[in-house]
Amino acid sequence: MDGKPGHESQTLGLVSALERLTTVQVHTISLAPLRIGFWHWLLKRFAPGANLPAPDLIIGAGHRTHWRLLAARRCYGGRAVALMSPSLPTWCFDTVVAPEHDGLSGANVIQTRGVLNAMRPGEKRAGSTLVLVGGEGKHFAWDDAAVFRAVSQLASAHEDLQITDSRRTPPALRQQLAEAFASSYQPWESCPQGWLHGQLASAEMAWVTEDSVSMIYEALSAACRVGLIGLTGGRGRLAQGIARLERDGLVTRWAVGTNQPALNARVAVLAEADRVANILLSPN
């Protein structure tokens, strides 16, 4: 674990899927105090594994885990599984699990729709809507005013509605949301543990700003009908992946400034963590 919530969510999602299929003994190693690189691999040194059982799978997400994965495998055996596109060549690892929009291929690459996550569907509350607001980033042009208008329209159209934001949401927009939707707005930093997963699991519909790619795939994994609050300037592989979701009818995109569309995207649960776990456990 490298301490980054997004990376740890992927790892825990895969581990949880493995636990649903077989008996698993999990040992978590934090990378924070460790400085392990090429020389540790070369000299077959990985002190954190000294008192642990020999591993079957060594799993890590994020660039800082890569040399640790390889050093651990060289010392103790097992298969090294890198989640997301690695900074090292893919052939260094036994398995690389990467979203299809990264464009990786090879016999040891498992392509997924979006990054892995731990979301699963729950009992849906009829008519419930969750609005997920992202923020500024390099892949889309952010517009506070347009996003606020979209959230306002959604709040007017849905009685059972909850709104939350993210670390990237601009402060001015956060203040607007807090003032306008005090009873239904939940700032990200004060969300109780497990709140977001619980909301996604029970929400029938989720509207997500287009920049929040991980949230889009989590909402799909939770079997929500997913609508996208569209942003301008989308480019790169992330935008192409979202475009594929729209073409496949998995999301409905709303160009802000137009009339709000009916949320007619089909419900298709993305159980990518379970699919990857099955592949990893396959004898072939």
Side-chain angles (χ1 to χ4, degrees):
M1 297 290 200
D2 66 358
K4 294 185 177 181
H7 295 169
E8 296 193 356
S9 175
Q10 294 178 51
T11 304
L12 293 173
L14 179 54
V15 169
S16 296
L18 289 166
E19 289 175 326
R20 291 192 287 273
L21 295 171
T22 189
T23 301
V24 177
Q25 186 180 45
V26 181
H27 298 274
T28 301
I29 298 175
S30 172
L31 268 58
L34 305 177
R35 296 184 179 275
I36 294 176
F38 168 77
W39 290 106
H40 293 82
W41 170 83
L42 185 65
L43 298 173
K44 294 183 66 173
R45 293 179 181 174
F46 189 74
N51 297 315
L52 299 179
D56 295 298
L57 297 173
I58 311 164
I59 302 169
H63 297 319
R64 292 181 61 225
T65 68
H66 294 159
W67 280 112
R68 278 81 167 182
L69 291 173
L70 299 179
R73 181 184 64 183
R74 185 163 163 80
C75 286
Y76 306 111
R79 288 183 286 161
V81 180
L83 307 185
M84 302 192 309
S85 296
S87 53
L88 299 172
T90 56
W91 52 259
C92 292
F93 305 90
D94 297 280
T95 304
V96 172
V97 181
E100 60 184 6
H101 57 243
D102 282 355
L104 294 184
S105 61
N108 67 330
V109 174
I110 303 174
Q111 290 190 346
T112 59
R113 281 212 144 169
V115 297
L116 299 185
N117 62 75
M119 276 307 311
R120 302 191 77 202
E123 184 175 345
K124 297 298 183 182
R125 206 168 61 247
S128 57
T129 302
L130 181 63
V131 180
L132 301 167
V133 179
E136 297 169 335
K138 62 182 180 180
H139 296 287
F140 295 90
W142 185 261
D143 185 335
D144 275 6
V147 171
F148 182 76
R149 285 196 303 272
V151 175
S152 298
Q153 286 181 246
L154 291 168
S156 298
H158 302 280
E159 291 184 6
D160 185 356
L161 177 135
Q162 292 289 316
I163 304 162
T164 191
D165 54 17
S166 75
R167 291 176 176 83
R168 296 182 294 106
T169 308
L173 178 58
R174 299 188 72 208
Q175 184 174 346
Q176 278 187 297
L177 294 172
E179 292 173 353
F181 311 109
S183 61
S184 56
Y185 168 63
Q186 180 70 53
W188 70 268
E189 73 274 16
S190 60
C191 287
Q193 187 173 7
W195 181 89
L196 181 57
H197 277 206
Q199 290 293 322
L200 277 172
S202 63
E204 188 175 56
M205 295 167 282
W207 282 95
V208 190
T209 55
E210 195 171 7
D211 62 290
S212 300
V213 177
S214 294
M215 286 291 107
I216 293 170
Y217 287 103
E218 288 198 352
L220 289 169
S221 300
C224 299
R225 291 191 183 278
V226 179
L228 305 184
I229 299 173
L231 301 170
T232 60
R235 62 184 184 276
R237 289 175 175 170
L238 291 181
Q240 292 168 11
I242 292 173
R244 280 195 291 271
L245 292 176
E246 186 179 14
R247 286 196 301 270
D248 292 345
L250 297 178
V251 299
T252 298
R253 189 176 185 278
W254 175 19
V256 177
T258 64
N259 292 330
Q260 182 187 333
L263 193 44
N264 54 13
R266 63 188 175 93
V267 175
V269 182
L270 289 187
E272 292 293 79
D274 295 272
R275 182 174 67 86
V276 172
N278 272 293
I279 294 172
L280 291 176
L281 295 177
S282 171
N284 297 321

